Amino acid sequence: MTQSSERTASHAVAPVFIERWSPRSFAADTISDSELFTLFEAARWAPSGNNSQPWRFIYAKRDSASWTGFLNVLNEKNRLWASKASALVILVTATAVQREGEAQPSPLRNHALDAGAAWVSLALQAQLSGWKTHGIGGFDKEAARQQLAIPEHYQAQLAIAIGKQGLLDELAEEFQPREKPNQRLPLSALVAEGRFSFS
Ligand SMILES: Cc1cc2nc3c(=O)[nH]c(=O)nc-3n(C[C@H](O)[C@H](O)[C@H](O)COP(=O)(O)O)c2cc1C
């Protein structure tokens, strides 16, 4: 059994899987290039369909010239808490690839799935490196396309807030009740042998 203060795994897993969670309170820390690129490095080694590596990471650090532009694409609620993060990353995927000798770009059918693999690698490395991450699907993908000059055949998938966990009472009151690790469905509801047998 693997246990953290709030979560218990029903089978033995490396502690990082249950210790990673997504806070909304962030402290004032700044993140160095070296610390940030360690997270991208972990994501780089994620598996992808045909090793296509469709992920691209566009980042802004807090207090940089591009920070406000990144914040502005987030939904209002997400912007409230994410504004204190040390960095924001927009994970973009290539949706098609132009192969030599082919007239049309070929679609990359697994690009969104591959993005998930890259995101979780980044999140787990962050946890191992003493950082917290929070994935954000609530942002305006078209606004991100304009703001970050994302071209055709690429698609914004996920915003990721990265920072050190901050103090609960410095988080806007509306988010405070949810500021703790949440739980998961039991394995019995998720795993079946031989055939689909879920209720
Ligand atoms: C694809 C994706 C989109 C998400 N979008 C948001 C979001 O818009 N706002 C938010 O506060 N949290 C968002 N989350 C965070 C999830 O709610 C959170 O990961 C989930 O509740 C599990 O909690 P944990 O990460 O703390 O284990 C998102 C997470 C993922 C993976």
Side-chain angles (χ1 to χ4, degrees), residues 1 49 62 82 84 113 119 127:
M1 205 102 91
R62 197 184 59 240
K84 293 191 175 163
L113 191 64
W119 139 246
Q127 175 65 30

Side-chain angles (χ1 to χ4, degrees), residues 65-172:
S66 25
W67 181 249
T68 307
F70 275 57
L71 271 186
N72 284 345
V73 306
L74 302 184
N75 293 358
E76 205 180 324
K77 280 240 160 121
N78 289 324
R79 195 181 311 140
L80 259 179
W81 56 265
S83 61
K84 293 191 175 163
S86 305
L88 278 170
V89 176
I90 306 284
L91 169 48
V92 172
T93 52
T95 59
V97 64
Q98 182 67 61
R99 296 206 170 89
E100 236 181 86
E102 286 180 8
Q104 298 293 329
S106 317
L108 290 170
R109 288 187 192 82
N110 300 305
H111 67 96
L113 191 64
D114 296 337
W119 139 246
V120 86
S121 293
L122 185 154
L124 292 172
Q125 181 60 56
Q127 175 65 30
L128 291 167
S129 302
W131 293 91
K132 289 285 182 192
T133 53
H134 198 129
I136 303 172
F139 69 102
D140 184 334
K141 298 194 169 103
E142 262 322 297
R145 183 179 292 286
Q146 299 298 323
Q147 179 67 36
L148 310 182
I150 299 170
E152 195 188 0
H153 303 310
Y154 288 85
Q155 198 172 297
Q157 297 287 348
L158 186 69
I160 305 167
I162 301 169
K164 291 271 160 105
Q165 195 181 341
L167 297 172
L168 181 64
D169 57 11
E170 288 175 10
L171 179 65

